[in-house]
Amino acid sequence: MKSQRLHIAIQKSGRLAEKSLDLIRAAGFRLTRSAGDLAYSVENAPIDLWCVRDDDIPTFVADGVADFGIVGRNVLAERADGANDDGLVEVMPLGFGRCRLCIAAPEGFVYDGARGLNGLRVATTYPNLLRRFLKARRLDADIVTMRGAVEVAPRLKLAEAICDLVSTGATLDANGLEAFETILESEAVLVRGAGDLAPELRRAADSVVARFKGVVASQGAKYVMMNAPRAALPEIIEILPGAEAPTVTPLAGRDDAVAVHAVCQESVFWETLEALKATGASAILVLPIEKMM
Ligand code: PRP
Ligand code: ZN
């Protein structure tokens, strides 16, 4: 009989592991460990998590062993090529685990555009993405495929350049390397397989997607309240970052002023508050938003 629980594959350890769990908890799913450190079970919904190597997540989802996966777009992109189209669907970006897949070389390397890679050896754990990049630019470089620790390749004279993920840049710095070119922008995404879900799992799946959307949307979003001159309203709406139609209510005993409440989708900086104040707004409050749907 088919499982009555929805399965989500997440990274067991690495850059996305802890943040994937944070997202799931922020979505209101209570987790208990099961099967040692290989799985979690959600107490308040029919959902199980499987903790696996990130590179295995697309396979788990494509084979239908897991219904969803949380994985870097870089891992999906490396796997997807013409010959291996497994129909995985990116449901939504998750707003964490941002990084870039870059061409890098030892500091002092004179990078005169991508053409400079002609005839060089480039070490990477992303041979498919690198091959596509080289092909699109009609470049002829040798790809040295490694399983990890690509950043040491130039020092070991295995390659003149590398193609690797850069997140904070600390790994490149520590190895005297410099990034010259970005070939892919990546972040964690929610992915699902091509097939239809079993009807009994759809509710749980819809709830996962809706709640994740809520968590992602509320990140950085703020609830902003202020009193303002009625005449300044158009200007205030301009200034508020990513706010749709704010709520405007009268202030007791004041015809010339109103209270303005708005949800701002983007970060509200001190500069924003100063600009609001300059329009005559006062009593400006910026509040965090816990959930949004
Ligand atoms: C990437 C990459 C570097 C590091 C860069 O590995 O291979 O080692 O992250 O990050 P930094 O710019 O913050 O120093 P990742 O953590 O994705 O591990 P994996 O390739 O083994 O999955
Ligand atoms: Zn990996």
Side-chain angles (χ1 to χ4, degrees):
M1 201 189 87
K2 263 231 131 185
S3 159
Q4 304 283 332
R5 291 177 76 80
L6 190 81
H7 291 94
I8 307 177
I10 64 168
Q11 192 184 31
K12 185 174 186 295
S13 62
R15 267 173 328 111
L16 304 184
E18 205 46 50
K19 286 184 172 147
S20 301
L21 291 172
D22 289 346
L23 166 69
I24 292 162
R25 290 197 185 98
F29 298 119
R30 281 198 305 277
L31 301 178
T32 41
R33 273 195 178 276
S34 60
D37 56 358
L38 294 178
Y40 288 88
S41 174
V42 175
E43 293 166 26
N44 53 344
I47 301 172
D48 289 327
L49 309 182
W50 277 333
C51 308
V52 300
R53 282 198 44 213
D54 62 349
D55 311 77
D56 291 334
I57 292 175
T59 312
F60 270 71
V61 179
D63 293 352
V65 178
D67 305 291
F68 285 111
I70 295 178
V71 68
R73 184 180 291 132
N74 51 296
V75 175
L76 288 183
E78 173 63 17
R79 181 187 161 94
D81 55 39
N84 184 16
D85 185 10
D86 41 29
L88 291 180
V89 180
E90 181 181 317
V91 181
M92 58 182 287
L94 297 172
F96 64 88
R98 291 213 172 83
C99 59
R100 308 178 285 141
L101 184 63
C102 291
I103 305 283
E107 282 157 10
F109 183 91
V110 182
Y111 190 75
D112 179 24
R115 262 177 310 133
L117 296 173
N118 268 328
L120 299 186
R121 294 167 303 169
V122 185
T124 190
T125 55
Y126 294 87
N128 292 330
L129 287 170
L130 178 57
R131 192 174 305 114
R132 260 180 268 161
F133 169 79
L134 294 172
K135 199 169 162 211
R137 304 282 185 103
R138 298 171 190 275
L139 301 173
D140 188 22
D142 280 333
I143 299 174
V144 180
T145 303
M146 296 178 68
R147 297 294 295 272
V150 166
E151 61 277 4
V152 303
R155 237 184 306 147
L156 299 181
K157 309 276 181 245
L158 288 168
E160 287 73 39
I162 67 168
C163 168
D164 198 16
L165 286 188
V166 180
S167 168
T168 60
T171 304
L172 291 188
D173 277 353
N175 290 279
L177 300 166
E178 198 178 335
F180 291 105
E181 188 111 28
T182 296
I183 74 174
L184 181 86
E185 303 265 0
S186 181
E187 69 181 290
V189 299
L190 181 68
V191 64
R192 68 167 170 81
D196 281 340
L197 275 175
E200 66 272 18
L201 295 180
R202 271 184 214 147
R203 263 176 77 109
D206 289 348
S207 145
V208 165
V209 173
R211 289 184 186 199
F212 282 8
K213 285 200 169 136
V215 174
V216 173
S218 67
Q219 278 163 1
K222 294 281 183 274
Y223 195 75
V224 179
M225 310 197 287
M226 76 199 84
N227 294 341
R230 195 183 284 279
L233 266 180
E235 209 182 334
I236 286 172
I237 293 167
E238 276 291 298
I239 295 168
L240 287 172
E244 287 173 30
T247 308
V248 176
T249 44
L251 285 172
R254 307 244 338 239
D255 280 345
D256 57 333
V258 288
V260 182
H261 292 195
V263 172
C264 291
Q265 304 285 356
E266 295 150 37
S267 304
V268 179
F269 299 105
W270 285 107
E271 289 76 8
T272 314
L273 301 192
E274 283 162 2
L276 289 170
K277 226 168 160 68
T279 70
S282 60
I284 309 172
L285 299 180
V286 180
L287 308 175
I289 295 173
E290 193 183 89
K291 294 187 179 66
M292 194 147 95
M293 205 158 208

